[in-house]
Amino acid sequence: MRIIIQRAKGANVMIDGKINAEFQGLGYVILLGIEASDTQEDVDWLVRKVAALRVFDDENGVMNRSILDIAGEHEGADGNIIVISQFTLFASYKKGNRPSWLRAASHEISIPLYEAFIQKLSEAIGRPVGHGEFGADMKVSLCNDGPVTIFMDTHNKE
């Protein structure tokens, strides 16, 4: 699994012109890519890392607070996180100029792991996690704060 975490000051995802999820204030937009070899173990590892990641400023302006630490400070209808499925995180661009998506998992693998990630993350932070719709044409808007953008890959945990 691969994710891109973007620290944001407000975000939303629209599908067919309607807001599917949104939050105001501080939070994360997470782009999640899944490949065929991913398992529940990858979900569990990412959830632990995301919940504990300290990239929000403390009272001294140092990135020392996690999403758990800012709970309740800046909540929206969907808590402080929106998760978007993003198979393009597994684009292969080495041959030619048209990317290949061969490493991206099929729907049969991706959908259950995507849903498990959202559910486990919601349990870990103790509030709902907003999300897009798997396979839908989505419009994601956010105010990237910092900017702080972090890439994680469960096949490169060290």
Side-chain angles (χ1 to χ4, degrees):
M1 293 180 125
R2 290 180 174 171
I3 62 172
I4 303 247
I5 302 172
Q6 298 171 90
R7 187 179 76 179
K9 284 190 176 179
N12 70 55
V13 57
M14 296 183 74
I15 302 170
D16 296 328
K18 297 178 185 148
I19 294 177
N20 200 64
E22 69 180 336
F23 67 84
Q24 301 299 317
L26 295 173
Y28 291 143
V29 173
I30 299 174
L31 307 176
L32 172 66
I34 301 166
E35 66 180 320
S37 63
D38 291 331
T39 66
Q40 185 64 45
E41 182 180 314
D42 295 298
V43 169
D44 295 341
W45 185 85
L46 275 178
V47 165
R48 283 191 306 275
K49 294 303 276 187
V50 170
L53 187 66
R54 298 183 326 185
V55 295
F56 296 100
D57 291 348
D58 64 14
E59 61 280 352
N60 297 314
V62 176
M63 286 195 284
N64 201 28
R65 298 172 77 205
S66 72
I67 195 80
L68 296 169
D69 296 325
I70 66 163
E73 292 181 13
H74 305 278
E75 288 194 45
D78 295 301
N80 301 81
I81 299 176
I82 297 175
V83 177
I84 306 295
S85 61
Q86 190 73 45
F87 74 95
T88 61
L89 290 177
F90 285 100
S92 175
Y93 46 82
K94 294 186 181 193
K95 291 184 180 179
N97 293 316
R98 183 170 184 239
S100 166
W101 319 112
L102 292 175
R103 288 190 56 200
S106 67
H107 286 166
E108 294 77 26
I109 295 170
S110 295
I111 292 172
L113 290 175
Y114 172 70
E115 291 173 351
F117 179 78
I118 293 166
Q119 179 63 36
K120 290 278 191 175
L121 188 56
S122 177
E123 291 169 7
I125 67 169
R127 57 191 183 281
V129 169
H131 53 86
E133 181 181 313
F134 193 93
D137 180 21
M138 297 173 273
K139 308 301 180 214
V140 180
S141 297
L142 72 145
C143 178
N144 196 322
D145 182 33
V148 174
T149 303
I150 297 172
F151 174 77
M152 290 184 191
D153 187 329
T154 60
H155 297 279
N156 188 14
K157 295 178 183 171
E158 303 191 17

